[in-house]
Amino acid sequence: MKSSCVLLTALVALAAYYVYIPLPSSVSDPWKLMLLDATFRGAQQVSHLIHSLGLSHHLIALNFIIVSFGKKSAWSSAQVNVTDTDFDGVEVRVFEASPKPQELLRRSVVYIHGGGWALASAKIKYYDELCTVMAEELNAVIVSIFAQDANLRNKLKLQALIYPVLQALDFNTPSYQQNVNTPILPRYVMVKYWLDYFKGNHDFVQAMIVNNHTSLDAEEAVAPRARLDWTSLLPASITKNYQPVMQTKGNARIVQEIPQLLDARSSPLIADQEVLLHLPKTYILTCEHDVLRDDGVMYAKRLESAGVEVTLDHFEDGFHGCMIFTSWPTNFSVGIRTRDSYIKWLDQNL
């Protein structure tokens, strides 16, 4: 009996050690966030183990785990009709609010879910629940896209960006430095997502973390760097005492092998001003505890300078991905507030 108690105590202590990470008191529901992050880290470690055994690519394995535990069928209600179909070969899930009498035209939103360009799908319950609420509250048609390579060619009235990733030039902006090990999306994971997206070598991770791919001797980075000077694009309340990380000499092989890293089509934050001025009215939601916070803030600044109407909606207690966590057991107060604020803006501007 005594040995069982000792073993149980050791297991509890080990679990607590794995779950606990130091978090600022300002983040929403910190202990719940620790548990959520521990679950995601555990799934990532299992997927990497599967990869190391040669059974499957780690992203395929991780996606299988996520879909297995989070998949939801297209279930309709009296308020919202939900169907899975395809548009020109692109798989989509469509959410249609019940039409109002004599309504001729419907508002619509094309929703592109997150997941590092590789994970989850429109069938995951978190995205399904968000789109259902959007359809009902906006009385609109929501088209949630499955595929990562879908092209949207229609003219858009507006764009609403939720903690967007907008550049791969600098992984040492103040928010990357401040939130280097923040739950859900630490810096090294974001760098790996970029490499996975472009089928790059994971041996580049450490070099990219210290900006060796955009060093001063990298000619390809000269023009983009001029458009992404965070010391001038960010306010003093954000820059604080953080210093730019700029290497004199770097690894030229990275950008030579992966030129897409500095392509404005994947990194719109480094686009020419002439390109930005053609963009529609924009909503950008950012979270304080997110490596991508400064991407959104700088993009808002650049769009405003180009004459685009921008709403920057910042949440001091938010973290990356928080908007989809609104139902038990992963319900966060900031998740509900970000969702409601996003939908309110859409309702006022669609």
Side-chain angles (χ1 to χ4, degrees):
M1 183 68 175
K2 184 177 180 180
S3 60
S4 297
C5 291
V6 171
L7 179 60
L8 179 61
T9 302
L11 290 174
V12 171
L14 184 63
Y17 177 78
Y18 183 79
V19 169
Y20 179 78
I21 52 175
L23 291 175
S25 58
S26 59
V27 72
S28 177
D29 306 290
W31 275 102
K32 193 178 290 185
L33 180 55
M34 288 182 207
L35 289 168
L36 178 64
D37 182 64
T39 302
F40 192 53
R41 278 187 285 122
Q44 288 178 311
Q45 288 163 359
V46 169
S47 69
H48 280 287
L49 175 61
I50 293 172
H51 185 108
S52 67
L53 294 173
L55 300 176
S56 176
H57 189 278
H58 69 96
L59 285 178
I60 295 175
L62 183 55
N63 220 17
F64 177 80
I65 294 170
I66 292 172
V67 172
S68 295
F69 286 94
K71 187 176 180 180
K72 184 178 179 181
S73 299
W75 183 80
S76 300
S77 66
Q79 292 76 35
V80 179
N81 184 54
V82 183
T83 55
D84 288 337
T85 183
D86 72 87
F87 290 170
D88 197 22
V90 177
E91 287 186 278
V92 296
R93 176 164 287 185
V94 181
F95 303 78
E96 298 178 83
S98 299
K100 293 181 178 180
Q102 298 180 334
E103 186 177 49
L104 298 177
L105 295 175
R106 305 287 299 281
R107 301 190 293 183
S108 63
V109 175
V110 176
Y111 180 80
I112 305 173
H113 68 78
W117 307 295
L119 301 176
S121 88
K123 291 182 178 179
I124 296 297
K125 83 176 191 75
Y126 295 112
Y127 299 125
D128 181 277
E129 290 172 355
L130 173 59
C131 290
T132 297
V133 173
M134 289 169 61
E136 185 172 356
E137 296 197 11
L138 295 171
N139 187 38
V141 177
I142 313 298
V143 179
S144 185
I145 295 178
F146 286 43
Q148 288 80 21
D149 60 352
N151 291 314
L152 304 173
R153 299 188 182 279
N154 292 329
K155 182 174 176 61
L156 303 177
K157 180 179 180 181
L158 52 85
Q159 60 174 342
L161 310 177
I162 313 303
Y163 25 76
V165 52
L166 299 165
Q167 57 90 22
L169 180 92
D170 188 352
F171 293 108
N172 286 275
T173 62
S175 60
Y176 267 110
Q177 294 185 49
Q178 172 185 298
N179 300 299
V180 61
N181 291 313
T182 291
I184 309 300
L185 190 64
R187 177 169 61 180
Y188 78 93
V189 171
M190 188 64 251
V191 174
K192 285 183 177 180
Y193 280 149
W194 276 106
L195 289 170
D196 285 327
Y197 185 40
F198 293 125
K199 297 179 174 59
N201 192 328
H202 273 212
D203 291 343
F204 294 152
V205 170
Q206 292 304 317
M208 290 173 64
I209 282 175
V210 295
N211 288 345
N212 269 344
H213 62 305
T214 53
S215 53
L216 293 175
D217 63 336
E219 293 183 8
E220 302 91 338
V222 174
R225 191 185 300 113
R227 303 185 198 108
L228 206 160
D229 177 10
W230 61 256
T231 61
S232 61
L233 289 171
L234 296 174
S237 59
I238 286 180
T239 57
K240 299 176 182 176
N241 294 320
Y242 293 107
Q243 297 298 318
V245 174
M246 200 174 297
Q247 308 298 338
T248 304
K249 292 186 177 181
N251 186 344
R253 181 180 156 211
I254 299 175
V255 174
Q256 288 171 359
E257 291 190 11
I258 320 172
Q260 301 96 321
L261 292 170
L262 300 183
D263 190 319
R265 289 172 294 182
S266 60
S267 300
L269 186 49
I270 62 174
D272 289 331
Q273 193 85 337
E274 292 73 20
V275 173
L276 298 181
L277 60 84
H278 295 293
L279 292 175
K281 181 188 295 188
T282 301
Y283 170 90
I284 303 174
L285 186 146
T286 57
C287 293
E288 182 64 21
H289 308 286
D290 181 6
V291 293
L292 302 179
R293 177 199 65 191
D294 296 346
D295 281 25
V297 176
M298 289 189 287
Y299 197 46
K301 181 74 172 180
R302 290 210 63 208
L303 288 175
E304 286 176 344
S305 297
V308 177
E309 185 179 342
V310 181
T311 297
L312 180 62
D313 199 5
H314 183 68
F315 287 80
E316 286 290 333
D317 60 341
F319 57 90
H320 191 82
C322 63
M323 184 184 290
I324 62 173
F325 298 118
T326 58
S327 59
W328 189 89
T330 54
N331 52 317
F332 289 79
S333 60
V334 72
I336 296 170
R337 284 183 280 112
T338 51
R339 180 197 66 190
D340 292 349
S341 187
Y342 163 62
I343 292 176
K344 180 181 179 181
W345 186 87
L346 288 175
D347 191 35
Q348 294 172 343
N349 292 277
L350 270 177

